[in-house]
Amino acid sequence: MRLHRLDLTAFGPFGGSQSVDFDELSAAGLFLLHGPTGAGKTSVLDAVCYALYGAVPGARQSGQGLSLRSDHADADTRTEVRLELTVAGRRLELTRQPPWERPKKRGSGTTLDKAQTWLREYDTAAGAWKDLSRSHQEIGEEITQLLGMSREQFCQVVLLPQGDFARFLRADAEARGRLLGRLFDTQRFADVEKRLAERRRTTEARVREGDAALLADAHRMQQEAGDVMELPELAPGEPGLAEAVLAAAAVARSTARERLTLAHCRLTAAESAQAAAYGTLADVRELARLQQRFTQARERAVRLQERAGAHQEAQTRMERARKAEAVAPALELREAAEGEHRVAGAAEARARGLLPDSFADAGPAGLAAAARRAAEELGGLESARRAERRLTELVDEHAGLDRQERADEDALREAEGWLADWDATRAGLQSRIESAQEAATRAEQLAVQRDPACRRLEAARLRDQLASDTEAAKKRALDLEERALMARTHWLDLKEQRLNGIAAELAANLTDGAPCAVCGATEHPAPARRIAGHVDREAEERALAAYQRADEQRAEGERRLGVVREALAAATAEAGDTPTDRLAAEADELEQRYTQARRDASGLHAAHEELRRAEHERERRLADRQQAAVRAAARLTRRESLEHERTALEEELAQARGSATSVAVRAAQLEGQVALLTDAADTARIAEDTAQRLKDADARLADAAYRAGFDTPQAAAAALLDGSAHRELQRRLDAWQSEEAAVRAVLAEADTAAAAQQPPADLDAAERDAAEAAQRLRDAASTRDWAARCCGELDRLSARAADGVRRLAPLREEYDRVARLAGLTAGTSADNERKMRLESYVLAARLEQVAAAATVRLRRMSAGRYTLVHSDDRTGRGRSGLGLHVVDAWTGRERDTATLSGGETFFASLALALGLADVVTDEAGGVRLDTLFIDEGFGSLDDQTLDEVLDVLDSLRERDRSVGIVSHVADLRRRIHAQLEVVKGRSGSAVRQRGVG
C-alpha cells in the first residue's frame, strides 16, 4: 500500500482546504511530520485512517460524526477527506464526508445532511477515473479485503503508536493478550474454548438429567413395589447408579408377580359367593314385586270408585260440546263480519278527517267525482314541467357561454404574449445550435491529436520504467558475472589443490602385492601421505557444479539485460526525449480540451429538438388564436336565440303555476288532493259493503242455533269448547277408562293373587347379603387389578430404565471426551502442564514470531546488546505463555522488560512495533506496506542511539518504502530534510512541505 495524496477540508484543526503530497515526501524515503503541540500532526494520521475505514484510531474514536468538523470552518463549508493511494496494484481514490449540520437554504436554523462516501479507480487504459461505489458498506468491505487488515490492525501496523507499544512492552500477560487477540483475530480460538465448555456443560447436564430420570423411575418403582425395594443412596452422575437401580428393579418385579398369583385365587372365590347371593336376591325381589303389585291394584280400584260422579259429569259436558260444534261455523262467520265492519268504519273516519269540511256529507260517488276532476288538472301540468326544465337548461347554457368567452380571452392574451417573443426565442436557439456544431468540430479535431499524445505518454512512462529496470538489470548482470568469475576462480583453486595432492589420493588406494594404477609396480616402499586441507574429487565436482550454475545465471542475466535494452530502445523511439511530465501535461491539456468540447457539443441534439418544439408551439398558438375568433362570432348568434326562447317560456310558466312558487309545487298540491279524495271514496264504499255482510251473518247464526237445540246463539257459544279444553276433557275420559281396565287385569292375574297369600318378603336382608358379596368381589378384583397394574408398571419402568441406561452409555462416553478436551483447552486439565488456554497458546506462537522479528531490528538499534525473547512461564495467577523478556548480551542474563531505561524502552518498543507490523502483514496475506508512520518517542534517545534508530528506519526504505516520523525533536529537523510542517493559527492550522521537489 502506497499513499499518493491527502486532501483535507474543514477537518479537525484545519479550517480550510489543505493538501499533502505523499509522492514528494516519499521520494526521500524518510520524512518528518512536525509542528507545535495542538497544531494537528496526529489529525493528519487520523484523516488517513478516517478516509480508509470511516473512523479514526481507537483512542480517539469519540471524535466521530459532527465532532470531526473543524471549529474554524465556515458555516457553508462541508468537512471532507480525500485520499489517493495504490493498493494491490490498483490506484484508488477515497472520499468521505461525515454528517453535517448545514444552514437551511430557506429560513433559519440548520438541517442534517447524511454522511457520504465515494470510491473511484483510475483506469489506465482509458486514462480517466471511473466510479466504483457510493455504498458505505461495500466500500468498507472492499478496502478491508484489499488491505487484508482491520482498522485496529492498520493503526498498529501503519500508524505505529509508540506509547501503546511501550505499554505493551511492560504490560502483564492479560493486557498483552487483549492487544494480540485484536490484532491476530484469535477470537475463533476463544470461541472454540467457549464452545467446548458449553458442550461439556450441556453433556454433563444431559447425563445428570438422564440419571435424574433413572432415579425418578426408581422412586416410582419403589412406590409401586412398597417396602420390598430398596433404592441406592447415590446422586445423579455418580458411578454404579444404573447397576444398583436395575438390580433393585429385578427384586421388585419378582415380589409383584407372587402378589398377583395370590390375588387371582381370592378373586375366583369371591365370584362364586357373589353368584349365590345374587340368585337368592332375585327370588326375593320377584315375590316382593308381585305382592306390591296386588296391593297397588286394590288401592287404584278404591280411587276409581271415588271419582265415578265426576266422570259422569264429564261425559255430559262432552255431549253438549259435540252439539255446539254444528253452530261453530256460523259463529265464526259472524265474528269475522263484525271485525271487518269495525276496521272499515275506522278507515272511513280517518280518510274523511283529512278532507276539507266541504266534503263532510259527500258519499262515495261524490268523492270519486272530485278525485277525477283534480287528476285532470294534474295531467295538464306536464307541458309546464317540460317548459320549466328547458328554462333551467337555457340558464346553464348561457353560463357555459360566459365561461367559454373568458377562457378564450385568457388563451388569446397568453398566445399574443408568447408570439411577441418568438423572434428572440428562435434567434437564441439557432445561436445554441451553431455553438454546439462548432464544439463538435473542435472535438473531432482534438480526438485526432489525443490518441497519439496518449500513446507517446504511455511510451514515455514505459521508457522511464525500463530505464530504471535497465540499471537494475545491468547491476544484476554485473553481480552475476562477478559471482560466476569468483565461482570459476574457486573451482580452479580447488582443482589445483587436488592435483597437488593427487599422489596422496592415489596412495590411499594402494595395497601390498597389488599393482599401482600409475606405474604398475607391486611394491610400494614410500607411498605419499595426505596433507592437511586436501581437496578430494567430490569437493572439486561441487565447485565445478557451482561454477556452472553461476555461469548459467550470468548468461540469463545478460539475456534479460538485452531484452530490457531492446524494450527501452523501442519505447524511446516512440516517446522521443521529451520528459514524461511535459508529455503528461500536454496529454492532460488535450484531454481537458477534448472533454470540454464534447461537453459543449453534447447540447446540439437538445438544441435542435428545442427549436423544433418551439416551431410546433408557434403553429399551435396561431391556430388557437384563429379558432378563438370563430368561437366568439358563434357565441353572439347563440345568445340572441337563447334570449327569445327564454322570454316565451317564462310567460307560459307564470300562467301554469298560478299562486304556487313553481310548477313542481303546484303538481305536488294536486297529487296530494287526488290521493286523499280517492282514499276517502274507497273507504266509504268498503264501509257500506261490510255493514251489509254483518246483517246477513246475524240471520244465519240464529237459524243454526235453533236447529242444534239451543234456545239462543249465546247458549250455543257457551257450550263450545276450544281445542285445548276439548283435548283435556277427552284425555280425562280416556284415562279413567284405561285405569279401570288395568285394575281389573291385575286383580285377575293368578301369580299375583298367589303371592298375596304368602308372608311378606324380607328384601332388605337379601339385599344386604348380596351387597356384602359384591363388596368382597370388588375388593378381590381391586387387589388383583392393583397387583396386575403393579407388575405391568414395574415391567414398563424397568424396561424404560434399562433403555435409559443403554442410551446414556454413548452420552457418558461423549461427556468424558468433551470434558477432557474442554479442560485441556481451558488450561484446567492435568494433561496441560502449563495451564495454558488454547487462545493463549496461539497468541504465544504469534508473540514468539513478533519477538523474533523485533529482535532483528533491536539488535541493530542497541549495537547487538539486547534481544527480545518469548517466555512460557506463568506469573502468579495470570495466564502463561505470554511473557516477554529481554536478554542483555553484556551480562548474559535474561531480565524483565520493565527494567529498561526510557531510551532503551523506546527503541525496544519501536523494534517491537516494527516486528509486529511484519508479522501482522504476513498474517494479512503479505500485503506490501510502502508507507509507514511512527508517532513520537524520539526525545528520549541520545545522539548515538538516535543515529542507530535512524539507520534502522532508513533500512525500511528498501524496495521503495517510505517512513514518516511524527516528532517534536528539533535535532530530527536537521537530520531529516524532507519535512511536512503543521502550522497553527487563529483561523486554523495549515501544512507546508519542505525539502522536497
Side-chain angles (χ1 to χ4, degrees), residues 345-356 367 676-681 683-684:
E348 180 185 12
R350 286 194 301 272
R352 286 183 179 274
L354 298 175
L355 295 176
L367 293 173
L676 291 175
L677 290 171
T678 301
D679 187 33
T683 54

Side-chain angles (χ1 to χ4, degrees), residues 122-128 450-467 567-568 570-576 578-588 591:
Y122 187 76
D123 189 347
T124 306
R450 174 171 162 266
D451 293 340
C454 291
R455 287 196 297 271
R456 288 190 64 195
L457 177 58
E458 291 299 324
R461 289 173 175 167
L462 180 60
R463 177 197 63 194
D464 296 345
Q465 180 64 37
L466 290 174
L568 176 60
T572 304
E574 183 174 357
T578 305
T580 304
D581 294 342
R582 183 184 302 173
L583 291 176
E586 294 175 356
D588 289 343
E591 182 65 30

